[in-house]
Amino acid sequence: MPEPTWKSEYEIRENERIVFDYQYANSFPRVGQLNSRFTLTSYNAVARGNALLANERYHRSALRYTRFTGIGGLIANASITFNRKVRAIRNELQFEGINHYSMPVLTDNPETNWMAYGSYSNRVAFFRVGGNVRLSWFDYSQTVNDILANNRRTSHQYTVNMRTEPSDWPRASVAYTKGFNRFRGNTSSRFTTDQLDASLDWRLLRDWSAMAEYTYFRNRNTRTGLSDSYHVANAALDYQPEHTPWGFRLTANNFLDNRTKVSNSISDFLASEQVTYIMPRVWLLSVRYKL
């Protein structure tokens, strides 16, 4: 089977270039997709393979741009990727209450996937400031309960971040990410997310150092108005005298005593909510001896 490829590269100037790739290729089914026996994949899901599957055919192209101006200077990256399957393997689904059955079939329904990414960072005074953007659009068709639905799944994420740059400063960073996720087909779902991350690594005195991490996450279902959020933080205080092999470390895991993490996800056919139970606050005193 022919798989033509093309690659072009253009150097605008030193440390700045544009690269274009194209490929028309095949993707072959996995072993599990060919197994015609029933398999229990979760407590409410049964899958069956299809021994008649053949290879998928798809176009893939990518355009990438990079630029940097040396250590400590500007760094910029951007890329756009386009994938189009002209022959695709897609699961057919049958729902019975909360249970569902799936079997892969080879279809001629085209699938299109666009992805874009961009990042930029530069030094401003004593800080490195930057941000990035991740965008994706996925259009595909899927049969659910003998009804063919045209679906679109989108995901957009925008991040800004900042961290200290001088090596003799405490290492500190903060980042904020805003996300938008949407599914549209026979049903529709929309979620927005907010995430704040911060970290600190600070050598207080000659023998003392402190470390801390903090994450705030909020998830909101814009169709129902329901939202969930959680805070997770860890910290440690370390004491290592210069002229002794003994060292001590006091660690606090989950010191805000958060008990659950709630998040939402969107698959090819289902929007779901996951609840993760985490250990309560833990204090740990460690003593070490260096040989």
Side-chain angles (χ1 to χ4, degrees), residues 138 140 151-155 180-185 187-192 219-221 223 263-274:
F138 184 27
Y140 60 98
N151 302 326
R152 163 167 281 197
R153 195 171 77 230
T154 61
S155 175
F180 302 88
N181 299 286
R182 182 179 180 183
F183 174 82
R184 186 178 64 196
T187 61
S188 62
S189 301
R190 289 184 182 180
F191 298 98
T192 62
N219 188 89
R220 183 173 184 269
N221 187 327
R223 297 191 64 86
S263 60
N264 295 92
S265 63
I266 299 176
S267 69
D268 288 347
F269 61 92
L270 186 66
S272 59
E273 180 181 88
Q274 299 85 36

Side-chain angles (χ1 to χ4, degrees), residues 230-284:
Y230 64 83
H231 304 255
V232 176
N234 304 309
L237 181 64
D238 194 272
Y239 175 63
Q240 178 63 62
E242 185 176 355
H243 301 296
T244 177
W246 292 96
F248 305 89
R249 186 182 183 92
L250 179 63
T251 304
N253 291 324
N254 188 23
F255 68 79
L256 296 178
D257 205 26
N258 182 71
R259 300 300 179 94
T260 58
K261 293 181 180 180
V262 181
S263 60
N264 295 92
S265 63
I266 299 176
S267 69
D268 288 347
F269 61 92
L270 186 66
S272 59
E273 180 181 88
Q274 299 85 36
V275 179
T276 304
Y277 295 90
I278 59 179
M279 292 183 63
R281 182 190 300 117
V282 174
W283 294 91
L284 179 65

Side-chain angles (χ1 to χ4, degrees), residues 134-165:
R134 298 176 185 271
L135 310 172
S136 70
W137 299 264
F138 184 27
D139 295 302
Y140 60 98
S141 300
Q142 188 165 40
T143 300
V144 179
N145 290 345
D146 300 322
I147 299 175
L148 182 65
N150 296 319
N151 302 326
R152 163 167 281 197
R153 195 171 77 230
T154 61
S155 175
H156 300 167
Q157 287 189 332
Y158 307 89
T159 301
V160 292
N161 53 66
M162 181 176 66
R163 62 179 173 87
T164 55
E165 190 76 0

Side-chain angles (χ1 to χ4, degrees), residues 76-232:
N77 295 280
S79 66
I80 298 176
T81 304
F82 173 75
N83 295 320
R84 182 175 176 84
K85 291 183 178 181
V86 295
R87 190 168 63 192
I89 295 175
R90 177 63 52 184
N91 283 331
E92 287 189 348
L93 301 164
Q94 290 288 334
F95 280 85
E96 295 181 3
I98 66 170
N99 303 316
H100 68 269
Y101 305 85
S102 64
M103 185 179 74
V105 295
L106 186 67
T107 73
D108 292 323
N109 299 320
E111 297 186 359
T112 304
N113 189 6
W114 284 92
M115 292 177 289
Y117 172 78
S119 67
Y120 175 89
S121 70
N122 202 357
R123 181 164 179 164
V124 179
F126 301 105
F127 302 93
R128 175 161 290 276
V129 180
N132 63 72
V133 177
R134 298 176 185 271
L135 310 172
S136 70
W137 299 264
F138 184 27
D139 295 302
Y140 60 98
S141 300
Q142 188 165 40
T143 300
V144 179
N145 290 345
D146 300 322
I147 299 175
L148 182 65
N150 296 319
N151 302 326
R152 163 167 281 197
R153 195 171 77 230
T154 61
S155 175
H156 300 167
Q157 287 189 332
Y158 307 89
T159 301
V160 292
N161 53 66
M162 181 176 66
R163 62 179 173 87
T164 55
E165 190 76 0
S167 59
D168 55 344
W169 278 33
R171 291 195 298 271
S173 66
V174 61
Y176 171 73
T177 300
K178 180 71 175 183
F180 302 88
N181 299 286
R182 182 179 180 183
F183 174 82
R184 186 178 64 196
N186 287 336
T187 61
S188 62
S189 301
R190 289 184 182 180
F191 298 98
T192 62
T193 59
D194 299 271
Q195 182 169 337
L196 176 66
D197 296 286
S199 66
L200 174 66
D201 190 347
W202 188 9
R203 190 170 184 85
L204 300 171
L205 300 170
R206 183 177 62 180
D207 301 331
W208 294 85
S209 60
M211 290 134 298
E213 298 174 338
Y214 172 78
T215 296
Y216 168 76
F217 184 83
R218 179 176 180 265
N219 188 89
R220 183 173 184 269
N221 187 327
T222 58
R223 297 191 64 86
T224 63
L226 299 177
S227 64
D228 295 284
S229 63
Y230 64 83
H231 304 255
V232 176

